[in-house]
């Protein structure tokens, strides 16, 4: 089965065709990150306007590998995300479904990130799997018993992990997106130079909090000549965020005894996070390649295949209530 996946929940515009949930036939992503850099973050209206411009060229390129009649269904992110951006993808998906007479599959963006791990390996992760999804907008820890069977163990009570990278990067004078910038500068820095707080690391639940950490970085930065300390600040920031994510996930692994750990979302691109999980986890850890960690249409199509709940195009008004 060939599914076309469309993703426009934030600043990326993605379209991909995936066969049987696992085989990427095409995967095209256009990012407005250069625009976001100018403004120091995602400016929702700008992002959506850019998506209106690029959605058709992106779709056209993704569809080149297959005849349109060979597409069996159209999957689209319906949330969570920026409303203007989501609407660009949803309206395109509805139009295509109508014109091609195909069903449409609504997709949850956060859960879709997890499926990057079905696109890269012949060894699918074993269930039950403990899933840490860490992106610019979300931080969730889930227990996944099977496709479509999830239990939310915890989530962030304030900022997402990626947001913690982005906001503290800005405080120390690094451009957006902060995660890759902090990672780059952290390479030559001392992760112990600053002992930033690990929010909720010892709490009994599996929730996360990064706002206290952010305030601690701000307090420190206001006392310092940051240009001389960027690398040490970056290394210490990265260590604090990664440390909490790994510790809480491994604590949940001890309690729930999953067969595998799945890490996904933009922050899963972080090399220190990968290093720590691989070094410390007693069970197999699945982390996708960097290009599948950040937003793309392929994960949307894969999720749709394994959670196949199509809506006939005649009933797409149902999408308005999702
Ligand atoms: O999944 P994603 O593309 O978009 C959302 O769904 O939010 O994630 C983007 C986030 C940004 O906050 C970015 O700073 C972070 O992922 N990120 C990283 C790295 N690459 C991207 N964070 C840490 N280290 C990285 N290498
Ligand atoms: Zn995402």
């Amino acid at each position: 089965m060939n599914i076309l996946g469309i993703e426009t929940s934030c600043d990326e515009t993605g379209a991909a065709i995936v066969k049987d949930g696992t085989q990427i036939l095409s995967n095209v992503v256009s990012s407005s990150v250069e625009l976001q850099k100018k403004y120091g973050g995602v400016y929702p209206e700008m992002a959506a306007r850019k998506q209106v411009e690029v959605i058709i060229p992106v779709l056209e390129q993704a569809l080149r590998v297959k005849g349109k009649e060979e597409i069996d269904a159209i999957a689209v992110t319906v949330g969570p995300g920026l409303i203007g951006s989501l609407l660009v993808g949803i309206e395109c998906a509805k139009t295509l479904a109508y014109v091609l007479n195909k069903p449409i599959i609504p997709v949850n963006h956060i859960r879709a990130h997890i499926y990057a791990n079905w696109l890269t390996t012949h060894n699918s992760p074993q269930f039950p799997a403990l899933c840490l999804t860490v992106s610019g907008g979300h931080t969730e820890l889930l227990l996944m018993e099977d496709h479509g069977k999830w239990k939310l163990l915890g989530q962030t009570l304030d900022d997402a992990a990626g947001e913690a990278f982005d906001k503290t990067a800005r405080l120390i004078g690094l451009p957006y997106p902060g995660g890759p910038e902090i990672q780059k500068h952290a390479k030559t820095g001392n992760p112990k130079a600053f002992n930033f707080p690990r929010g909720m690391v010892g709490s009994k639940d599996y929730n996360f909090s990064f706002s206290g950490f952010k305030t601690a970085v701000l307090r420190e930065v206001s006392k310092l000549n940051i240009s001389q300390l960027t690398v040490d600040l970056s290394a210490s920031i990265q260590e604090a965020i990664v440390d909490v994510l790994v510790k809480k996930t491994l604590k949940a692994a001890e309690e729930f005894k999953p067969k595998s750990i799945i890490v996904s979302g933009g922050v899963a691109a972080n090399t220190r996070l990968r290093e720590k999980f691989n070094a410390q986890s007693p069970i197999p850890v699945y982390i996708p390649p960097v290009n599948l960690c950040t937003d793309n249409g392929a994960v949307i199509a894969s999720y749709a295949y394994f959670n196949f709940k199509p809506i006939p195009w005649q009933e797409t008004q149902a999408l308005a209530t999702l």
Side-chain angles (χ1 to χ4, degrees):
M1 173 180 279
N2 298 318
I3 297 183
L4 169 67
I6 300 176
E7 158 59 39
T8 61
S9 66
C10 191
D11 55 339
E12 265 90 22
T13 305
I17 301 178
V18 175
K19 186 176 176 207
D20 298 337
T22 54
Q23 200 185 334
I24 298 177
L25 304 184
S26 64
N27 190 16
V28 183
V29 179
S30 165
S31 172
S32 57
V33 70
E34 287 310 316
L35 199 66
Q36 318 303 346
K37 267 188 185 153
K38 245 171 65 188
Y39 295 96
V42 178
Y43 187 161
E45 169 137 357
M46 293 279 199
R49 280 170 189 256
K50 194 76 198 160
Q51 284 162 324
V52 171
E53 265 174 60
V54 300
I55 185 91
I56 295 297
V58 166
L59 276 167
E60 203 271 323
Q61 204 182 327
L63 283 163
R64 271 183 213 159
V65 292
K66 281 275 163 206
K68 293 190 182 66
E69 63 292 345
E70 292 174 273
I71 303 295
D72 298 295
I74 294 153
V76 62
T77 301
V78 295
L82 305 171
I83 189 68
S85 294
L86 287 167
L87 285 174
V88 177
I90 293 172
E91 289 308 310
C92 258
K94 281 164 69 177
T95 310
L96 269 173
Y98 168 62
V99 171
L100 302 176
N101 192 22
K102 303 289 177 192
I104 195 162
I105 307 165
V107 172
N108 173 296
H109 178 84
I110 315 177
R111 309 280 150 94
H113 268 298
I114 296 169
Y115 282 85
N117 291 286
W118 269 264
L119 291 163
T120 52
T121 167
H122 299 297
N123 265 341
S124 301
Q126 302 82 11
F127 295 126
L130 181 64
C131 307
L132 175 72
T133 306
V134 271
S135 73
H138 316 283
T139 299
E140 269 195 11
L141 196 58
L142 294 170
L143 193 64
M144 185 177 177
E145 274 149 25
D146 204 339
H147 298 293
K149 280 184 81 181
W150 336 80
K151 187 175 159 211
L152 182 65
L153 301 180
Q155 59 191 327
T156 184
L157 301 181
D158 39 62
D159 292 348
E163 205 177 349
F165 271 108
D166 296 337
K167 287 185 176 165
T168 51
R170 196 174 176 162
L171 291 178
I172 65 170
L174 295 176
Y176 179 88
E181 288 291 328
I182 290 208
Q183 176 176 310
K184 193 168 81 192
H185 288 86
K187 267 190 211 143
T188 50
N190 173 9
K192 294 197 176 127
F194 300 91
N195 187 17
F196 292 126
R198 273 69 166 154
M200 296 183 78
V201 77
S203 71
K204 288 209 173 68
D205 57 24
Y206 292 107
N207 290 327
F208 300 87
S209 167
F210 292 103
S211 66
F213 156 77
K214 193 177 59 189
T215 312
V217 175
L218 175 64
R219 211 177 301 122
E220 204 61 54
V221 164
S222 59
K223 294 192 281 197
L224 298 166
N225 179 352
I226 54 171
S227 59
Q228 285 166 9
L229 291 162
T230 310
V231 294
D232 284 346
L233 281 165
S234 294
S236 305
I237 286 170
Q238 176 174 263
E239 202 60 22
I241 298 173
V242 165
D243 197 33
V244 180
L245 297 175
V246 173
K247 281 208 173 106
K248 291 209 92 157
T249 306
L250 294 182
K251 191 174 142 222
E254 254 176 54
E255 182 177 342
F256 296 98
K257 311 220 166 358
K259 294 211 172 91
S260 57
I261 292 176
I262 299 178
V263 188
S264 62
V267 179
N270 187 270
T271 45
R272 183 70 183 134
L273 183 73
R274 289 164 177 257
E275 221 172 74
K276 275 207 157 188
F277 265 121
N278 287 325
Q280 297 180 10
S281 173
I283 56 172
V285 182
Y286 292 81
I287 312 181
V290 170
N291 68 316
L292 291 175
C293 287
T294 44
D295 291 349
N296 64 83
V299 298
I300 305 305
S302 177
Y303 170 99
Y305 176 83
F306 289 106
N307 300 271
F308 193 69
K309 293 193 190 95
I311 296 174
W313 65 258
Q314 293 89 339
E315 289 169 29
T316 50
Q317 75 275 14
L319 297 177
T321 59
L322 287 166

